PDB file of all heavy atoms in Angstrom:
ATOM      1  N   GLY A 362      96.019  89.396  83.790  1.00  0.00           N
ATOM      2  CA  GLY A 362      96.127  88.249  82.888  1.00  0.00           C
ATOM      3  C   GLY A 362      96.906  87.077  83.457  1.00  0.00           C
ATOM      4  O   GLY A 362      96.513  85.918  83.293  1.00  0.00           O
ATOM      5  N   ALA A 363      98.021  87.350  84.118  1.00  0.00           N
ATOM      6  CA  ALA A 363      98.837  86.255  84.656  1.00  0.00           C
ATOM      7  C   ALA A 363      98.095  85.499  85.750  1.00  0.00           C
ATOM      8  O   ALA A 363      98.112  84.264  85.795  1.00  0.00           O
ATOM      9  CB  ALA A 363     100.164  86.803  85.196  1.00  0.00           C
ATOM     10  N   GLU A 364      97.431  86.229  86.642  1.00  0.00           N
ATOM     11  CA  GLU A 364      96.683  85.560  87.712  1.00  0.00           C
ATOM     12  C   GLU A 364      95.564  84.700  87.148  1.00  0.00           C
ATOM     13  O   GLU A 364      95.322  83.584  87.636  1.00  0.00           O
ATOM     14  CB  GLU A 364      96.115  86.599  88.669  1.00  0.00           C
ATOM     15  CG  GLU A 364      97.145  87.270  89.561  1.00  0.00           C
ATOM     16  CD  GLU A 364      96.499  88.215  90.544  1.00  0.00           C
ATOM     17  OE1 GLU A 364      96.155  89.345  90.137  1.00  0.00           O
ATOM     18  OE2 GLU A 364      96.330  87.838  91.715  1.00  0.00           O
ATOM     19  N   LEU A 365      94.867  85.211  86.133  1.00  0.00           N
ATOM     20  CA  LEU A 365      93.802  84.423  85.516  1.00  0.00           C
ATOM     21  C   LEU A 365      94.353  83.150  84.890  1.00  0.00           C
ATOM     22  O   LEU A 365      93.754  82.073  85.012  1.00  0.00           O
ATOM     23  CB  LEU A 365      93.075  85.258  84.457  1.00  0.00           C
ATOM     24  CG  LEU A 365      92.193  86.388  84.982  1.00  0.00           C
ATOM     25  CD1 LEU A 365      91.739  87.277  83.833  1.00  0.00           C
ATOM     26  CD2 LEU A 365      90.980  85.822  85.721  1.00  0.00           C
ATOM     27  N   ALA A 366      95.488  83.256  84.220  1.00  0.00           N
ATOM     28  CA  ALA A 366      96.092  82.079  83.591  1.00  0.00           C
ATOM     29  C   ALA A 366      96.517  81.057  84.643  1.00  0.00           C
ATOM     30  O   ALA A 366      96.371  79.842  84.438  1.00  0.00           O
ATOM     31  CB  ALA A 366      97.286  82.496  82.740  1.00  0.00           C
ATOM     32  N   LEU A 367      97.050  81.516  85.748  1.00  0.00           N
ATOM     33  CA  LEU A 367      97.431  80.589  86.820  1.00  0.00           C
ATOM     34  C   LEU A 367      96.210  79.870  87.363  1.00  0.00           C
ATOM     35  O   LEU A 367      96.257  78.661  87.644  1.00  0.00           O
ATOM     36  CB  LEU A 367      98.148  81.353  87.936  1.00  0.00           C
ATOM     37  CG  LEU A 367      99.553  81.863  87.591  1.00  0.00           C
ATOM     38  CD1 LEU A 367     100.063  82.806  88.671  1.00  0.00           C
ATOM     39  CD2 LEU A 367     100.529  80.701  87.404  1.00  0.00           C
ATOM     40  N   LYS A 368      95.105  80.585  87.507  1.00  0.00           N
ATOM     41  CA  LYS A 368      93.869  79.958  87.988  1.00  0.00           C
ATOM     42  C   LYS A 368      93.343  78.945  86.985  1.00  0.00           C
ATOM     43  O   LYS A 368      92.682  77.962  87.378  1.00  0.00           O
ATOM     44  CB  LYS A 368      92.813  81.028  88.259  1.00  0.00           C
ATOM     45  CG  LYS A 368      93.122  81.888  89.473  1.00  0.00           C
ATOM     46  CD  LYS A 368      92.100  83.010  89.642  1.00  0.00           C
ATOM     47  CE  LYS A 368      92.446  83.882  90.838  1.00  0.00           C
ATOM     48  NZ  LYS A 368      91.514  85.034  90.975  1.00  0.00           N
ATOM     49  N   GLU A 369      93.639  79.158  85.699  1.00  0.00           N
ATOM     50  CA  GLU A 369      93.211  78.211  84.666  1.00  0.00           C
ATOM     51  C   GLU A 369      94.146  77.009  84.549  1.00  0.00           C
ATOM     52  O   GLU A 369      93.927  76.125  83.719  1.00  0.00           O
ATOM     53  CB  GLU A 369      93.102  78.911  83.312  1.00  0.00           C
ATOM     54  CG  GLU A 369      91.934  79.880  83.223  1.00  0.00           C
ATOM     55  CD  GLU A 369      91.691  80.392  81.815  1.00  0.00           C
ATOM     56  OE1 GLU A 369      92.486  80.045  80.912  1.00  0.00           O
ATOM     57  OE2 GLU A 369      90.699  81.113  81.605  1.00  0.00           O
ATOM     58  N   GLY A 370      95.207  76.963  85.357  1.00  0.00           N
ATOM     59  CA  GLY A 370      96.071  75.787  85.382  1.00  0.00           C
ATOM     60  C   GLY A 370      97.286  75.850  84.506  1.00  0.00           C
ATOM     61  O   GLY A 370      97.837  74.817  84.128  1.00  0.00           O
ATOM     62  N   LEU A 371      97.758  77.052  84.202  1.00  0.00           N
ATOM     63  CA  LEU A 371      98.926  77.223  83.326  1.00  0.00           C
ATOM     64  C   LEU A 371     100.100  76.343  83.744  1.00  0.00           C
ATOM     65  O   LEU A 371     100.715  75.667  82.902  1.00  0.00           O
ATOM     66  CB  LEU A 371      99.363  78.696  83.326  1.00  0.00           C
ATOM     67  CG  LEU A 371     100.745  79.005  82.732  1.00  0.00           C
ATOM     68  CD1 LEU A 371     100.750  78.748  81.238  1.00  0.00           C
ATOM     69  CD2 LEU A 371     101.153  80.447  83.045  1.00  0.00           C
ATOM     70  N   LEU A 372     100.426  76.315  85.018  1.00  0.00           N
ATOM     71  CA  LEU A 372     101.646  75.643  85.472  1.00  0.00           C
ATOM     72  C   LEU A 372     101.512  74.130  85.485  1.00  0.00           C
ATOM     73  O   LEU A 372     102.517  73.421  85.586  1.00  0.00           O
ATOM     74  CB  LEU A 372     102.035  76.144  86.863  1.00  0.00           C
ATOM     75  CG  LEU A 372     102.334  77.645  86.965  1.00  0.00           C
ATOM     76  CD1 LEU A 372     102.738  78.007  88.380  1.00  0.00           C
ATOM     77  CD2 LEU A 372     103.419  78.052  85.971  1.00  0.00           C
ATOM     78  N   ASP A 373     100.286  73.629  85.378  1.00  0.00           N
ATOM     79  CA  ASP A 373     100.066  72.180  85.437  1.00  0.00           C
ATOM     80  C   ASP A 373      99.613  71.600  84.101  1.00  0.00           C
ATOM     81  O   ASP A 373      99.170  70.452  84.037  1.00  0.00           O
ATOM     82  CB  ASP A 373      99.018  71.860  86.516  1.00  0.00           C
ATOM     83  CG  ASP A 373      99.470  72.313  87.896  1.00  0.00           C
ATOM     84  OD1 ASP A 373     100.559  71.890  88.316  1.00  0.00           O
ATOM     85  OD2 ASP A 373      98.744  73.104  88.528  1.00  0.00           O
ATOM     86  N   VAL A 374      99.735  72.386  83.043  1.00  0.00           N
ATOM     87  CA  VAL A 374      99.192  71.958  81.752  1.00  0.00           C
ATOM     88  C   VAL A 374      99.879  70.696  81.229  1.00  0.00           C
ATOM     89  O   VAL A 374      99.270  69.910  80.485  1.00  0.00           O
ATOM     90  CB  VAL A 374      99.286  73.119  80.732  1.00  0.00           C
ATOM     91  CG1 VAL A 374     100.732  73.387  80.327  1.00  0.00           C
ATOM     92  CG2 VAL A 374      98.433  72.839  79.510  1.00  0.00           C
ATOM     93  N   LEU A 375     101.138  70.451  81.605  1.00  0.00           N
ATOM     94  CA  LEU A 375     101.858  69.264  81.135  1.00  0.00           C
ATOM     95  C   LEU A 375     101.964  68.186  82.221  1.00  0.00           C
ATOM     96  O   LEU A 375     102.697  67.216  82.062  1.00  0.00           O
ATOM     97  CB  LEU A 375     103.249  69.642  80.641  1.00  0.00           C
ATOM     98  CG  LEU A 375     103.271  70.475  79.355  1.00  0.00           C
ATOM     99  CD1 LEU A 375     104.704  70.786  78.927  1.00  0.00           C
ATOM    100  CD2 LEU A 375     102.538  69.755  78.230  1.00  0.00           C
ATOM    101  N   GLY A 376     101.230  68.358  83.297  1.00  0.00           N
ATOM    102  CA  GLY A 376     101.220  67.323  84.331  1.00  0.00           C
ATOM    103  C   GLY A 376     102.305  67.468  85.374  1.00  0.00           C
ATOM    104  O   GLY A 376     102.244  66.838  86.421  1.00  0.00           O
ATOM    105  N   THR A 377     103.307  68.264  85.080  1.00  0.00           N
ATOM    106  CA  THR A 377     104.360  68.547  86.046  1.00  0.00           C
ATOM    107  C   THR A 377     104.723  70.017  85.928  1.00  0.00           C
ATOM    108  O   THR A 377     104.714  70.584  84.826  1.00  0.00           O
ATOM    109  CB  THR A 377     105.598  67.674  85.803  1.00  0.00           C
ATOM    110  OG1 THR A 377     106.556  67.890  86.835  1.00  0.00           O
ATOM    111  CG2 THR A 377     106.242  67.957  84.467  1.00  0.00           C
ATOM    112  N   ARG A 378     104.999  70.644  87.037  1.00  0.00           N
ATOM    113  CA  ARG A 378     105.253  72.078  87.026  1.00  0.00           C
ATOM    114  C   ARG A 378     106.632  72.394  86.437  1.00  0.00           C
ATOM    115  O   ARG A 378     107.566  71.604  86.562  1.00  0.00           O
ATOM    116  CB  ARG A 378     105.144  72.641  88.442  1.00  0.00           C
ATOM    117  CG  ARG A 378     103.714  72.613  88.949  1.00  0.00           C
ATOM    118  CD  ARG A 378     103.490  73.640  90.025  1.00  0.00           C
ATOM    119  NE  ARG A 378     102.075  73.945  90.128  1.00  0.00           N
ATOM    120  CZ  ARG A 378     101.579  75.021  90.707  1.00  0.00           C
ATOM    121  NH1 ARG A 378     102.395  75.905  91.253  1.00  0.00           N
ATOM    122  NH2 ARG A 378     100.280  75.219  90.759  1.00  0.00           N
ATOM    123  N   PRO A 379     106.744  73.552  85.812  1.00  0.00           N
ATOM    124  CA  PRO A 379     108.050  73.941  85.270  1.00  0.00           C
ATOM    125  C   PRO A 379     109.113  74.017  86.363  1.00  0.00           C
ATOM    126  O   PRO A 379     108.835  74.439  87.491  1.00  0.00           O
ATOM    127  CB  PRO A 379     107.784  75.328  84.671  1.00  0.00           C
ATOM    128  CG  PRO A 379     106.314  75.356  84.402  1.00  0.00           C
ATOM    129  CD  PRO A 379     105.687  74.540  85.482  1.00  0.00           C
ATOM    130  N   VAL A 380     110.329  73.635  86.000  1.00  0.00           N
ATOM    131  CA  VAL A 380     111.449  73.759  86.940  1.00  0.00           C
ATOM    132  C   VAL A 380     111.993  75.181  86.939  1.00  0.00           C
ATOM    133  O   VAL A 380     112.656  75.597  87.894  1.00  0.00           O
ATOM    134  CB  VAL A 380     112.581  72.768  86.601  1.00  0.00           C
ATOM    135  CG1 VAL A 380     112.103  71.333  86.769  1.00  0.00           C
ATOM    136  CG2 VAL A 380     113.125  73.006  85.186  1.00  0.00           C
ATOM    137  N   ALA A 381     111.730  75.924  85.868  1.00  0.00           N
ATOM    138  CA  ALA A 381     112.237  77.290  85.762  1.00  0.00           C
ATOM    139  C   ALA A 381     111.395  78.058  84.747  1.00  0.00           C
ATOM    140  O   ALA A 381     110.793  77.466  83.847  1.00  0.00           O
ATOM    141  CB  ALA A 381     113.707  77.309  85.345  1.00  0.00           C
ATOM    142  N   ALA A 382     111.369  79.389  84.920  1.00  0.00           N
ATOM    143  CA  ALA A 382     110.608  80.251  84.020  1.00  0.00           C
ATOM    144  C   ALA A 382     111.476  81.427  83.591  1.00  0.00           C
ATOM    145  O   ALA A 382     112.338  81.890  84.345  1.00  0.00           O
ATOM    146  CB  ALA A 382     109.345  80.762  84.702  1.00  0.00           C
ATOM    147  N   LEU A 383     111.231  81.909  82.385  1.00  0.00           N
ATOM    148  CA  LEU A 383     111.976  83.038  81.844  1.00  0.00           C
ATOM    149  C   LEU A 383     111.008  84.074  81.290  1.00  0.00           C
ATOM    150  O   LEU A 383     110.093  83.746  80.536  1.00  0.00           O
ATOM    151  CB  LEU A 383     112.921  82.583  80.726  1.00  0.00           C
ATOM    152  CG  LEU A 383     113.780  83.672  80.070  1.00  0.00           C
ATOM    153  CD1 LEU A 383     114.804  84.216  81.057  1.00  0.00           C
ATOM    154  CD2 LEU A 383     114.472  83.137  78.820  1.00  0.00           C
ATOM    155  N   GLY A 384     111.200  85.319  81.696  1.00  0.00           N
ATOM    156  CA  GLY A 384     110.453  86.439  81.139  1.00  0.00           C
ATOM    157  C   GLY A 384     111.404  87.585  80.858  1.00  0.00           C
ATOM    158  O   GLY A 384     112.542  87.596  81.335  1.00  0.00           O
TER     159      GLY A 384
END
Side-chain angles (χ1 to χ4, degrees):
E364 288 184 281
L365 289 170
L367 290 170
K368 290 176 182 176
E369 289 190 356
L371 166 68
L372 299 181
D373 299 304
V374 70
L375 292 181
T377 185
R378 291 204 159 198
V380 296
L383 180 67

